[in-house]
Every structure is written in C-alpha cells, then in structure tokens.
Amino acid sequence: ETGVTQTPRHLVMGMTNKKSLKCEQHLGHNAMYWYKQSAKKPLELMFVYSLEERVENNSVPSRFSPECPNSSHLFLHLHTLQPEDSALYLCASSQDSRGRGQTQYFGPGTRLLVL
Amino acid sequence: AQKITQTQPGMFVQEKEAVTLDCTYDTSDPSYGLFWYKQPSSGEMIFLIYQGSYDQQNATEGRYSLNFQKARKSANLVISASQLGDSAMYFCAMREGSERYSTLTFGKGTMLLVSP
C-alpha cells in the first residue's frame, strides 16, 4: 500500500449505530487530519494530530471522537449521528503540522450516509 | 470574510486547449503557502502544485502552472493542453503561519469539464 488509505469507502448507518472510520498513511508523516466535505460547502477541518497528540479540535460535536494510536493510524469513531452528518470524510497527512509549505496528502475518503 | 475565493463555479474547455482557473486569497500573514488540488468524481483530493509566498518564480509542475500575482493576491491555476481526464473539481487552498500548527483553508472549488 502506498500513500493514504481509508476504510470503508462507503458506509450507511442508522442514527443509533456506532461505527468507526479508519485511516492509514504509508508516507512516514507526523501529522494527520480529518476533514468533512458536505455538498456545496468548502472542506471543513475537523481534527489535527501531530505526533499522536491532538492539536486542533475545530468545534466538532462530541458524537465524533478521534483516536490516533500512532503516527500512521487515525480513527474517527461515530455514534448517534444525525442525517446532516452525511458527507465525504477525508483523511490527510503531512510531514509536519507546522509550516506554510507542508503539503497535505489525502486519502480517497469515506462516503457516509446517515439514515 | 472568505479567505479563499473561487469565482468560477464551472468552466468548459475543449481538449488540447489551455484553461485558467481563478483563485484570490485574503491574509495578513506575510508567510503563507498556496495549493491547488484536483478532486475527480471518485472523491480523492490529488495535490497538483504549491506556491510559497516568498517564492520569486511561478511554480510549474508538468502541464500545471500557477500564475502568482502577490500584489493582487491571486493564484490562478493554468492547465495547458487539457485532457479528458482533467475533468474534475479543482480546489485552491491556503496555509498560513508557522506556529505549532497551521491549517489549510479551501475555496469552494471550480468544476472543470473538458470536451472532445
């Protein structure tokens, strides 16, 4: 595997379900990110991790719970979601979380539908 | 105020022609980076090109070039010799600062359709 991978690619869940999104990066990077992309909206940053430490929580509801067990893996735990949480969830990584020149490399995303 | 503005919701271009996608930005930070990403219908965001605020020359990557006009705060993407596979959403993004972390802010995107 190369680059950034995400599983599952598609997910349908009910509002009472609990599920997790997984992201893995094979680039040796130290920073990882979760973004939400809703229809007709710019990408919204949700969480930033640097060396497994959360450095940004962008006012995300508590029904989204991130976990970064090591610098290569990032999870997004989902519980009691709302239909408006349906979106494309993108994971990204960069060498470092600091610096204007840090390019973020994205995974293919998980398309989430909440019924 | 929006930090990244992409005024073209959609653009059409014929195969083999050049196309320019507009992007203007707003920042008071002297240190920033500008990025362009391509997002095909599959969803993955593909990094295309980067321009640093202190770079003297416009960035180029193969058929992609960035027309950086600092005084006008614009960073337009130029795609030369368009191909059918270039049909996708294109996002301009900016990263400011060099503190503990710096966030990437995206524009709303431009949908590019390349016709035969």
Side-chain angles (χ1 to χ4, degrees):
Chain A
E1 292 277 14
T2 58
V4 182
T5 57
Q6 289 185 245
T7 55
R9 294 293 309 277
H10 301 271
L11 179 62
V12 180
M13 59 185 290
M15 289 189 284
T16 58
N17 291 157
K18 290 184 180 181
K19 296 285 185 183
S20 295
L21 308 184
K22 179 183 176 182
C23 175
E24 185 173 359
Q25 59 96 359
H26 309 269
L27 300 169
H29 289 168
N30 294 317
M32 296 187 77
Y33 311 79
W34 279 117
Y35 287 88
K36 177 184 178 182
Q37 187 178 28
S38 305
K40 299 183 180 179
K41 279 188 176 182
L43 266 76
E44 302 170 66
L45 178 67
M46 300 176 72
F47 300 103
V48 180
Y49 275 84
S50 176
L51 294 171
E52 300 127 58
E53 177 191 354
R54 189 192 306 180
V55 296
E56 169 73 354
N57 174 0
N58 220 19
S59 301
V60 178
S62 59
R63 57 186 183 268
F64 295 92
S65 174
E67 179 190 0
C68 188
N70 55 63
S71 59
S72 298
H73 293 86
L74 185 64
F75 295 88
L76 188 62
H77 303 299
L78 316 171
H79 62 99
T80 58
L81 294 192
Q82 304 298 312
E84 59 265 28
D85 296 322
S86 299
L88 179 67
Y89 288 85
L90 289 161
C91 174
S93 71
S94 64
Q95 183 61 52
D96 197 347
S97 63
R98 298 178 302 171
R100 59 185 170 87
Q102 291 291 327
T103 299
Q104 292 184 18
Y105 295 91
F106 286 78
T110 295
R111 291 192 186 274
L112 173 67
L113 177 62
V114 181
L115 300 176
Chain B
Q2 286 186 10
K3 288 196 170 187
I4 296 287
T5 303
Q6 295 181 253
T7 57
Q8 306 154 315
M11 289 285 286
F12 293 90
V13 67
Q14 273 202 311
E15 203 176 3
K16 299 180 185 177
E17 291 187 349
V19 63
T20 298
L21 306 184
D22 295 342
C23 172
T24 57
Y25 59 92
D26 183 26
T27 181
S28 57
D29 194 328
S31 175
Y32 54 90
L34 297 159
F35 301 80
W36 277 92
Y37 286 86
K38 170 185 177 182
Q39 188 178 39
S41 57
S42 58
E44 182 176 0
M45 295 283 275
I46 301 167
F47 165 69
L48 296 178
I49 196 166
Y50 163 78
Q51 178 86 41
S53 59
Y54 297 121
D55 294 344
Q56 296 295 315
Q57 292 189 320
N58 287 344
T60 59
E61 287 287 349
R63 294 186 298 113
Y64 304 107
S65 60
L66 201 152
N67 185 0
F68 181 44
Q69 299 191 38
K70 195 170 182 176
R72 294 185 180 181
K73 293 189 175 179
S74 76
N76 298 339
L77 177 70
V78 180
I79 305 175
S80 63
S82 299
Q83 301 172 356
L84 296 178
D86 293 335
S87 294
M89 281 289 287
Y90 287 81
F91 292 92
C92 179
M94 176 174 63
R95 191 160 191 172
E96 298 169 282
S98 56
E99 298 301 321
R100 184 169 177 227
Y101 72 93
S102 50
T103 58
L104 195 60
T105 304
F106 285 82
K108 291 185 177 180
T110 296
M111 171 66 80
L112 175 67
L113 290 177
V114 181
S115 60

Coordinates of all heavy atoms in Angstrom, one line a residue, chain A residues 9 33 35 37 42-43 45 53 55-56 88 90 94 96-108 111, chain B residues 31-33 35 37 39 41-45 47 50 52-54 91 95 97 99-104 106 108:
Chain A
R9 N -14.8 2.6 2.2 CA -15.0 3.6 1.2 C -16.4 4.1 1.3 O -16.7 5.3 0.9 CB -14.7 3.1 -0.1 CG -13.2 2.7 -0.3 CD -12.3 3.9 -0.3 NE -12.7 5.0 -1.2 CZ -12.5 5.0 -2.4 NH1 -11.7 4.1 -3.0 NH2 -12.9 6.1 -3.2
Y33 N -4.9 14.4 9.7 CA -6.1 15.3 9.7 C -7.4 14.6 9.3 O -7.3 13.7 8.5 CB -5.9 16.5 8.7 CG -4.5 17.1 8.8 CD1 -3.4 16.6 8.2 CD2 -4.4 18.4 9.4 CE1 -2.2 17.2 8.2 CE2 -3.2 19.0 9.4 CZ -2.1 18.4 8.8 OH -0.9 19.1 8.9
Y35 N -11.1 15.7 7.7 CA -11.9 16.8 7.1 C -13.3 16.2 6.8 O -13.4 15.0 6.5 CB -11.3 17.2 5.8 CG -10.0 18.1 5.8 CD1 -8.8 17.5 5.9 CD2 -10.1 19.5 5.8 CE1 -7.6 18.3 6.0 CE2 -9.0 20.2 5.9 CZ -7.7 19.6 6.0 OH -6.6 20.4 6.0
Q37 N -16.4 16.9 4.1 CA -16.8 17.6 2.8 C -18.3 17.4 2.6 O -18.7 16.3 2.2 CB -16.0 17.2 1.6 CG -16.3 18.0 0.4 CD -15.4 17.6 -0.8 OE1 -15.0 16.4 -0.9 NE2 -15.1 18.5 -1.7
P42 N -17.3 24.3 1.4 CA -15.8 24.0 1.4 C -15.5 22.9 2.4 O -16.2 22.7 3.3 CB -15.2 25.4 1.8 CG -16.3 26.4 1.7 CD -17.6 25.7 1.9
L43 N -14.3 22.3 2.1 CA -13.9 21.4 3.1 C -13.7 22.0 4.5 O -13.2 23.1 4.6 CB -12.5 20.8 2.7 CG -12.4 19.6 1.9 CD1 -12.8 19.9 0.5 CD2 -11.1 18.9 1.9
L45 N -12.1 21.5 8.2 CA -11.2 20.8 9.1 C -11.9 20.4 10.4 O -12.5 21.2 11.0 CB -10.0 21.7 9.4 CG -8.9 21.1 10.3 CD1 -8.2 19.9 9.6 CD2 -7.9 22.2 10.7
E53 N -0.6 13.6 19.1 CA -1.2 14.5 20.1 C -2.2 15.4 19.3 O -1.9 15.9 18.3 CB -0.2 15.4 20.7 CG -0.8 16.4 21.7 CD 0.2 17.5 22.1 OE1 1.4 17.3 21.8 OE2 -0.2 18.4 22.8
V55 N -3.9 18.5 18.3 CA -3.5 19.9 18.4 C -4.6 20.8 18.0 O -4.5 22.0 18.1 CB -2.3 20.2 17.6 CG1 -1.1 19.4 18.2 CG2 -2.4 19.9 16.1
E56 N -5.7 20.3 17.4 CA -6.8 21.1 17.0 C -8.1 20.3 17.0 O -8.2 19.2 16.5 CB -6.6 21.6 15.5 CG -7.8 22.3 14.9 CD -8.1 23.7 15.4 OE1 -7.5 24.1 16.4 OE2 -9.0 24.4 14.9
L88 N -18.7 13.3 2.8 CA -17.5 12.6 2.5 C -16.5 13.0 3.5 O -16.2 14.2 3.8 CB -17.0 13.1 1.1 CG -15.7 12.4 0.6 CD1 -15.8 10.9 0.4 CD2 -15.2 13.1 -0.6
L90 N -12.7 12.9 4.7 CA -11.4 12.8 4.1 C -10.3 12.8 5.2 O -10.4 13.6 6.1 CB -11.1 13.9 3.1 CG -11.9 13.8 1.8 CD1 -11.9 15.2 1.1 CD2 -11.3 12.8 0.9
S94 N 0.6 15.0 6.6 CA 1.7 15.9 6.1 C 2.9 15.5 7.0 O 2.8 15.0 8.1 CB 1.3 17.4 6.2 OG 1.1 17.8 7.5
D96 N 4.8 17.4 8.7 CA 4.7 18.1 10.0 C 3.4 18.9 10.0 O 2.8 19.2 8.9 CB 5.9 19.0 10.2 CG 6.1 19.4 11.6 OD1 5.2 19.2 12.5 OD2 7.2 20.0 11.9
S97 N 3.0 19.3 11.2 CA 1.7 20.1 11.2 C 2.1 21.6 11.1 O 1.2 22.4 10.9 CB 1.0 19.8 12.6 OG 1.8 20.2 13.7
R98 N 3.3 21.9 11.3 CA 3.7 23.3 11.2 C 4.2 23.7 9.8 O 4.7 22.9 9.1 CB 4.8 23.7 12.2 CG 4.3 23.4 13.7 CD 5.5 23.8 14.6 NE 6.6 22.9 14.3 CZ 7.8 23.1 14.9 NH1 8.0 24.1 15.7 NH2 8.8 22.4 14.6
G99 N 4.2 25.0 9.5 CA 4.8 25.4 8.3 C 3.9 25.6 7.1 O 3.1 24.8 6.8
R100 N 4.1 26.7 6.5 CA 3.2 27.1 5.4 C 3.4 26.2 4.2 O 2.5 26.0 3.3 CB 3.5 28.5 4.9 CG 5.0 28.8 4.5 CD 5.2 30.2 4.2 NE 6.6 30.5 4.1 CZ 7.3 30.4 2.9 NH1 6.6 30.0 1.8 NH2 8.6 30.6 2.8
G101 N 4.5 25.5 4.1 CA 4.8 24.7 2.9 C 4.5 23.2 3.0 O 4.7 22.4 2.1
Q102 N 3.9 22.9 4.2 CA 3.6 21.5 4.4 C 2.4 21.0 3.5 O 1.3 21.4 3.7 CB 3.2 21.3 5.9 CG 4.3 21.4 6.8 CD 5.4 20.3 6.7 OE1 5.0 19.2 6.4 NE2 6.6 20.6 6.9
T103 N 2.7 20.2 2.5 CA 1.7 19.7 1.6 C 0.9 18.5 2.3 O 1.5 17.6 2.9 CB 2.3 19.1 0.3 OG1 3.0 20.2 -0.3 CG2 1.3 18.6 -0.6
Q104 N -0.4 18.6 2.3 CA -1.2 17.5 2.8 C -1.6 16.6 1.7 O -2.0 17.0 0.6 CB -2.5 18.1 3.5 CG -2.2 18.9 4.7 CD -3.4 19.4 5.4 OE1 -4.5 18.9 5.2 NE2 -3.2 20.4 6.3
Y105 N -1.4 15.3 2.0 CA -1.8 14.3 1.0 C -3.0 13.5 1.5 O -3.1 13.1 2.7 CB -0.6 13.3 0.8 CG 0.5 14.0 0.2 CD1 1.5 14.5 0.9 CD2 0.7 14.1 -1.2 CE1 2.6 15.2 0.4 CE2 1.7 14.7 -1.8 CZ 2.7 15.3 -1.0 OH 3.8 15.9 -1.6
F106 N -4.0 13.4 0.7 CA -5.3 12.9 1.1 C -5.6 11.5 0.7 O -5.0 11.0 -0.3 CB -6.4 13.8 0.4 CG -6.6 15.1 1.0 CD1 -5.7 16.1 0.7 CD2 -7.6 15.4 1.9 CE1 -5.8 17.4 1.3 CE2 -7.8 16.7 2.5 CZ -6.9 17.7 2.2
G107 N -6.4 10.8 1.5 CA -6.9 9.5 1.1 C -8.1 9.6 0.2 O -8.6 10.7 -0.1
P108 N -8.7 8.5 -0.2 CA -9.8 8.5 -1.1 C -11.1 8.9 -0.5 O -12.1 9.1 -1.2 CB -9.9 7.1 -1.6 CG -9.3 6.3 -0.5 CD -8.2 7.1 0.1
R111 N -17.5 7.8 2.1 CA -18.8 8.4 1.8 C -19.8 7.9 2.9 O -20.1 6.7 2.9 CB -19.3 8.2 0.4 CG -18.5 8.9 -0.6 CD -19.2 8.8 -2.0 NE -18.3 9.4 -3.0 CZ -18.2 10.7 -3.3 NH1 -19.0 11.6 -2.7 NH2 -17.4 11.1 -4.3
Chain B
S31 N 3.7 35.2 5.7 CA 4.2 33.8 5.4 C 3.0 32.9 5.1 O 2.2 32.6 6.1 CB 5.0 33.3 6.5 OG 5.4 31.9 6.3
Y32 N 2.9 32.5 3.9 CA 1.7 31.6 3.6 C 2.1 30.7 2.4 O 3.0 31.0 1.6 CB 0.4 32.4 3.3 CG 0.6 33.4 2.3 CD1 0.3 33.1 0.9 CD2 0.9 34.7 2.6 CE1 0.4 34.1 0.0 CE2 1.0 35.7 1.6 CZ 0.8 35.4 0.3 OH 0.9 36.4 -0.6
G33 N 1.3 29.7 2.2 CA 1.5 28.8 1.1 C 0.2 28.6 0.3 O -0.9 28.6 1.0
F35 N -2.0 26.3 -2.5 CA -2.0 24.9 -3.1 C -3.2 24.8 -4.0 O -4.2 25.5 -3.8 CB -2.2 23.9 -1.9 CG -1.2 23.9 -0.9 CD1 -1.2 24.8 0.2 CD2 -0.2 22.9 -0.9 CE1 -0.2 24.8 1.1 CE2 0.8 22.9 0.1 CZ 0.8 23.9 1.1
Y37 N -5.6 21.6 -5.6 CA -5.9 20.2 -5.6 C -6.9 19.9 -6.6 O -7.8 20.7 -6.9 CB -6.5 19.8 -4.2 CG -5.5 19.7 -3.1 CD1 -5.1 20.8 -2.3 CD2 -4.9 18.5 -2.7 CE1 -4.2 20.7 -1.3 CE2 -4.0 18.4 -1.7 CZ -3.6 19.5 -1.0 OH -2.7 19.4 0.0
Q39 N -10.0 17.1 -7.5 CA -10.9 16.1 -7.0 C -11.7 15.5 -8.0 O -12.8 16.0 -8.4 CB -11.7 16.6 -5.8 CG -12.5 15.5 -5.1 CD -13.3 16.1 -3.9 OE1 -13.9 17.1 -4.0 NE2 -13.3 15.3 -2.8
S41 N -14.4 12.6 -9.6 CA -15.7 12.1 -9.0 C -15.5 11.0 -8.0 O -16.4 10.7 -7.2 CB -16.6 11.6 -10.1 OG -16.0 10.6 -10.9
S42 N -14.3 10.3 -8.0 CA -14.1 9.2 -7.1 C -13.9 9.8 -5.7 O -14.0 9.0 -4.7 CB -12.8 8.5 -7.5 OG -11.7 9.4 -7.6
G43 N -13.6 11.1 -5.5 CA -13.5 11.7 -4.2 C -12.1 12.0 -3.7 O -12.0 12.9 -2.9
E44 N -11.1 11.4 -4.2 CA -9.8 11.6 -3.6 C -9.3 13.0 -4.0 O -9.5 13.4 -5.1 CB -8.8 10.6 -4.1 CG -7.4 10.7 -3.6 CD -6.5 9.6 -4.1 OE1 -6.9 8.7 -4.8 OE2 -5.3 9.6 -3.7
M45 N -8.7 13.7 -3.1 CA -8.1 15.0 -3.3 C -6.6 14.8 -3.7 O -5.8 14.3 -3.0 CB -8.1 15.9 -2.1 CG -9.5 16.2 -1.6 SD -10.2 17.5 -2.6 CE -9.5 19.0 -1.8
F47 N -3.1 16.3 -4.9 CA -2.2 17.5 -4.8 C -1.6 17.8 -6.2 O -1.1 16.9 -6.9 CB -1.1 17.4 -3.8 CG 0.0 18.4 -3.9 CD1 -0.2 19.7 -3.6 CD2 1.2 18.0 -4.4 CE1 0.8 20.6 -3.7 CE2 2.3 18.9 -4.5 CZ 2.0 20.2 -4.2
Y50 N 2.2 23.8 -5.7 CA 2.4 24.6 -4.5 C 3.2 25.9 -4.8 O 4.1 25.8 -5.6 CB 3.1 23.8 -3.4 CG 3.7 24.7 -2.3 CD1 2.9 25.2 -1.3 CD2 5.1 25.0 -2.3 CE1 3.4 26.0 -0.3 CE2 5.6 25.8 -1.3 CZ 4.8 26.3 -0.3 OH 5.3 27.1 0.7
G52 N 4.9 29.2 -2.6 CA 5.1 29.8 -1.3 C 5.1 31.3 -1.5 O 5.4 31.9 -2.6
S53 N 4.7 32.0 -0.4 CA 4.6 33.5 -0.5 C 5.9 34.2 -0.8 O 5.9 35.3 -1.3 CB 3.9 34.0 0.8 OG 4.8 33.7 1.9
Y54 N 7.0 33.6 -0.5 CA 8.3 34.2 -0.7 C 9.0 33.7 -2.0 O 10.1 34.2 -2.3 CB 9.2 33.9 0.5 CG 8.7 34.5 1.8 CD1 8.5 33.7 2.9 CD2 8.5 35.9 1.9 CE1 8.0 34.3 4.1 CE2 8.0 36.5 3.1 CZ 7.8 35.6 4.2 OH 7.4 36.2 5.3
F91 N -9.7 22.7 -6.4 CA -9.8 23.5 -5.2 C -8.5 24.2 -5.0 O -7.4 23.7 -5.1 CB -10.0 22.6 -4.0 CG -11.4 22.0 -3.9 CD1 -11.6 20.7 -4.5 CD2 -12.5 22.7 -3.4 CE1 -12.9 20.2 -4.4 CE2 -13.7 22.1 -3.4 CZ -13.9 20.9 -3.9
R95 N -2.4 27.9 3.3 CA -1.9 27.6 4.6 C -1.1 28.8 5.1 O -0.2 29.2 4.4 CB -1.1 26.3 4.5 CG -0.7 25.7 5.9 CD -0.3 24.3 5.8 NE -0.3 23.7 7.1 CZ -0.1 22.4 7.3 NH1 0.1 21.6 6.3 NH2 0.0 21.9 8.5
G97 N 1.0 30.8 8.3 CA 1.8 30.7 9.5 C 2.7 29.6 9.7 O 2.8 28.7 8.9
E99 N 3.4 28.5 13.2 CA 3.4 28.2 14.6 C 3.2 26.7 14.9 O 3.6 25.9 14.1 CB 2.2 29.0 15.3 CG 2.3 30.5 15.1 CD 3.6 31.0 15.7 OE1 4.0 30.5 16.8 OE2 4.3 31.9 15.2
R100 N 2.6 26.3 16.0 CA 2.5 24.9 16.4 C 1.8 24.1 15.3 O 2.2 23.0 15.1 CB 1.8 24.9 17.7 CG 1.7 23.4 18.3 CD 1.2 23.5 19.7 NE 1.1 22.1 20.2 CZ 0.0 21.7 20.8 NH1 -1.0 22.5 21.0 NH2 0.0 20.4 21.3
Y101 N 0.8 24.7 14.7 CA 0.2 24.0 13.6 C -0.4 25.1 12.7 O -0.7 26.2 13.2 CB -0.9 23.0 14.0 CG -2.1 23.7 14.6 CD1 -3.2 24.0 13.7 CD2 -2.2 24.1 15.9 CE1 -4.3 24.6 14.2 CE2 -3.4 24.8 16.4 CZ -4.4 25.0 15.5 OH -5.5 25.7 16.0
S102 N -0.5 24.8 11.5 CA -1.2 25.8 10.6 C -2.2 25.0 9.7 O -2.0 24.0 9.2 CB -0.1 26.4 9.7 OG 0.7 25.5 9.1
T103 N -3.3 25.6 9.6 CA -4.5 25.0 9.0 C -4.5 25.3 7.5 O -4.0 26.3 7.1 CB -5.8 25.3 9.6 OG1 -5.9 26.8 9.6 CG2 -5.8 24.9 11.1
L104 N -5.1 24.4 6.8 CA -5.3 24.6 5.3 C -6.8 25.0 5.1 O -7.7 24.3 5.5 CB -5.0 23.2 4.6 CG -4.8 23.2 3.1 CD1 -3.6 24.1 2.7 CD2 -4.5 21.8 2.7
F106 N -9.7 25.9 2.4 CA -10.1 25.6 1.0 C -11.1 26.6 0.5 O -12.0 27.1 1.2 CB -10.6 24.2 0.9 CG -9.6 23.1 1.0 CD1 -9.2 22.7 2.2 CD2 -9.1 22.5 -0.2 CE1 -8.2 21.7 2.3 CE2 -8.2 21.5 -0.1 CZ -7.7 21.1 1.1
K108 N -14.3 27.1 -2.5 CA -15.5 26.3 -2.8 C -15.3 25.4 -4.0 O -16.1 24.5 -4.3 CB -16.7 27.2 -2.9 CG -17.2 27.8 -1.6 CD -18.5 28.6 -1.8 CE -18.9 29.1 -0.5 NZ -20.2 29.9 -0.6

